[in-house]
Amino acid sequence: SLRTTFFQIFKKDPPTSFVATQLGNIRSALIMLFLFIALAGAELIFTSITLHLSSRGIELNGLKSVIISVAVATGCMGFFYSIFLPVRLTPVKLFGASLISAVLIIAMREIFAFAIARSPSYGETFGSLKVLFVMIAWVYYCFLVILFGAEVAVNIEKRDALLLKGLFAGH
């Protein structure tokens, strides 16, 4: 769904061959699996570093933790966009879209954690389906953030084109 939406956002035609489409889907699935494994590995490394530093009296909490999270999320979003977008963005545009997406994801993570921690009766509302509800809401939100980042990237490109058109129209 994301690939199809990216093609629509960037006004690119998807591959017409069934085989090419399926190979692209397999490639996408493998890359997503690799990204998931890389993120899980990064989390394990970050946890071990945090434990090592805390044993030495250095705490990574509050703002430091959020900055590290945003940096890691920005890198992951940059990798994701560079692989899945049907166009190649300049590094500045790629970084901008990745940073915006990362900040929105980390902000919502903090909001989710705050809301769940402050609402102990949350489980009574949804019963045993509370985890499923949170997962669906989280996946939907991440999908929207990823698409928003792609929209930001394509509109930055359009803005650049309008600026160039304005410069040349003045002469």
Side-chain angles (χ1 to χ4, degrees):
S1 295
L2 275 174
R3 287 185 57 214
T4 303
T5 307
F6 285 157
F7 280 120
Q8 290 174 350
I9 289 172
F10 286 93
K11 307 286 188 236
K12 293 280 188 176
D13 292 327
T16 55
S17 165
F18 175 76
V19 174
T21 302
Q22 295 310 314
L23 288 175
N25 289 339
I26 291 169
R27 177 181 161 260
S28 298
L30 290 174
I31 290 171
M32 290 297 291
L33 181 62
F34 169 75
L35 188 58
F36 174 74
I37 291 169
L39 283 172
E43 180 67 29
L44 290 173
I45 292 168
F46 181 72
T47 302
S48 66
I49 290 172
T50 303
L51 290 173
H52 178 71
L53 290 176
S54 66
S55 69
R56 293 179 179 241
I58 302 170
E59 294 294 325
L60 290 178
N61 53 14
L63 185 60
K64 293 176 192 172
S65 178
V66 171
I67 289 172
I68 291 170
S69 294
V70 169
V72 170
T74 301
C76 289
M77 290 306 301
F79 176 75
F80 182 85
Y81 285 140
S82 65
I83 296 295
F84 289 106
L85 290 182
V87 297
R88 294 291 158 234
L89 300 175
T90 63
V92 172
K93 292 175 187 174
L94 182 64
F95 177 74
S98 301
L99 182 63
I100 288 170
S101 297
V103 167
L104 290 172
I105 287 174
I106 298 301
M108 187 53 72
R109 181 192 73 181
E110 298 300 321
I111 292 169
F112 264 53
F114 178 79
I116 290 172
R118 299 293 184 259
S119 180
S121 62
Y122 168 75
E124 296 171 7
T125 306
F126 297 102
S128 62
L129 296 177
K130 70 180 178 181
V131 172
L132 184 62
F133 174 76
V134 169
M135 285 175 45
I136 290 171
W138 181 253
V139 167
Y140 183 71
Y141 178 77
C142 287
F143 185 78
L144 291 175
V145 167
I146 289 169
L147 291 179
F148 181 72
E151 286 287 345
V152 166
V154 78
N155 285 314
I156 288 172
E157 215 164 89
K158 286 180 183 176
R159 183 187 63 89
D160 290 348
L162 288 175
L163 286 173
L164 288 174
K165 182 180 175 185
L167 286 174
F168 291 118
H171 289 128

